[in-house]
Amino acid sequence: MSLEKLASGGACLTSPMFDRHGTLHVCCSQSGAIFKLEEGNLVEVLHTQGQPAGIAFGGLNDTLHVADTALQALLGAQHEEDAEAPQLVPLAQEAAGLPLLGPSSLAVDQHDVVYFTDSGALGQTTLSEPRGGVYRLQPAADGPPLLQPLAAGGLAHPCGAALSPDQQLLYVAELLQNRVLRFAQRPAGVFHASVFHVFAGGLGPSACVCDFDGNLYVARYDFRTSSQEGIISVIQPNGQLLKEIVIPGAEVTGLAFDADYRHLYITEASAGAVYRHAV
């Protein structure tokens, strides 16, 4: 297996993501820090003062978006002339007049539309109380952005989101149902949800990302006390399992591809490690 450890030492690392310059970023859901990877070191570039569970760069300006469970908000970075670091401002804090539980993952398309899961902390949305949701935040020419519920409740800790290469499909990892959902857009702005793939074993899927061909790479999370290995399942567009990748450490929290899709980048929380796997 071609697996290389790029960095370690950051507790609860998650959500690897590249900016348009090819710089890899990760966040720490425990400390609130967002890091960039620089010569094997994790260098803090921003702090949310909360618990960032997911980050994504996207849109025309390569804007940093943050899903923060503790702040119960979807945040966006704004650059001010006199500030050394960008300022984070709330983009969404409530849905249908009620506070969000706590956004946990996100994906941003080329038009700056943000898709995000709202699960709260682990244990807040469960099999017995499936209150997690999926939302779409679309910028408006004038006025505030439009928040569209794709699943307004009913989910047991949704915590991973990925767009297909043509951005017509949204995949969502539902951790505590141990499955991946697919939201198909047809016509534009209308989404149809269905179960895409169901797993057995482990706690459940925690993150996902599509490759250039539309295959879905799914991080399958388990507690370090239950397993010593982490599994990444590769699911074909037809929902069939293609292969599996095994890494050290069961708490797989995030996945990302580089620009040419030659390497898969993986975060694993129990070791606080960032890995690179040649695909």
Side-chain angles (χ1 to χ4, degrees):
M1 179 179 66
S2 177
L3 186 71
E4 176 186 3
K5 181 185 286 188
L6 299 181
S8 62
C12 299
L13 293 182
T14 188
S15 193
M17 188 63 58
F18 286 91
D19 63 17
R20 65 171 52 168
H21 304 294
T23 301
L24 180 65
H25 293 69
V26 298
C27 62
C28 176
S29 59
Q30 184 178 70
S31 71
I34 297 174
F35 301 99
K36 66 178 179 180
L37 188 62
E38 197 171 76
E39 297 180 351
N41 298 309
L42 296 172
V43 180
E44 183 175 326
V45 295
L46 198 60
H47 202 288
T48 71
Q49 307 302 320
Q51 293 179 329
I55 58 174
F57 294 89
L60 298 177
N61 298 318
D62 200 38
T63 302
L64 171 66
H65 300 77
V66 183
D68 196 297
T69 53
L71 298 180
Q72 296 177 261
L74 177 70
L75 308 171
Q78 287 187 351
H79 293 269
E80 299 181 1
E81 292 184 3
D82 299 331
E84 293 184 4
Q87 303 298 307
L88 292 173
V89 298
L91 300 178
Q93 295 177 289
E94 61 178 40
L98 297 174
L100 295 173
L101 299 172
S104 51
S105 66
L106 68 163
V108 186
D109 73 11
Q110 61 186 349
H111 302 296
D112 219 16
V113 176
V114 184
Y115 300 83
F116 67 95
T117 59
D118 184 40
S119 64
L122 185 61
Q124 195 170 345
T125 53
T126 63
L127 286 177
S128 60
E129 294 188 31
R131 299 182 295 123
V134 181
Y135 297 90
R136 178 180 188 254
L137 188 69
Q138 183 171 357
D142 297 307
L146 175 64
L147 184 67
Q148 175 187 2
L150 304 187
L155 303 183
H157 202 86
C159 62
L163 288 166
S164 62
D166 63 3
Q167 302 191 339
Q168 294 302 301
L169 300 174
L170 173 70
Y171 297 99
V172 171
E174 189 181 5
L175 181 78
L176 297 182
Q177 284 281 13
N178 212 354
R179 65 185 183 180
V180 175
L181 306 177
R182 191 189 79 161
F183 294 79
Q185 185 174 190
R186 186 186 179 115
V190 178
F191 290 82
H192 308 274
S194 62
V195 176
F196 177 67
H197 193 89
V198 179
F199 298 102
L203 187 64
S206 58
C208 51
V209 66
C210 277
D211 67 11
F212 182 80
D213 296 317
N215 297 309
L216 186 70
Y217 287 64
V218 183
R220 297 173 58 192
Y221 183 97
D222 203 0
F223 296 121
R224 71 186 79 177
T225 53
S226 300
S227 177
Q228 301 300 311
E229 295 180 330
I231 299 173
I232 299 162
S233 296
V234 185
I235 312 299
Q236 299 176 89
N238 62 5
Q240 298 300 308
L241 177 67
L242 178 63
K243 63 179 180 179
E244 291 185 335
I245 301 166
V246 179
I247 71 164
E251 299 184 358
V252 190
T253 55
L255 303 172
F257 278 105
D258 52 17
D260 57 10
Y261 294 93
R262 293 179 59 190
H263 294 94
L264 178 69
Y265 292 76
I266 307 158
T267 49
E268 199 282 322
S270 66
V274 182
Y275 295 102
R276 179 170 61 189
H277 172 73
V279 295

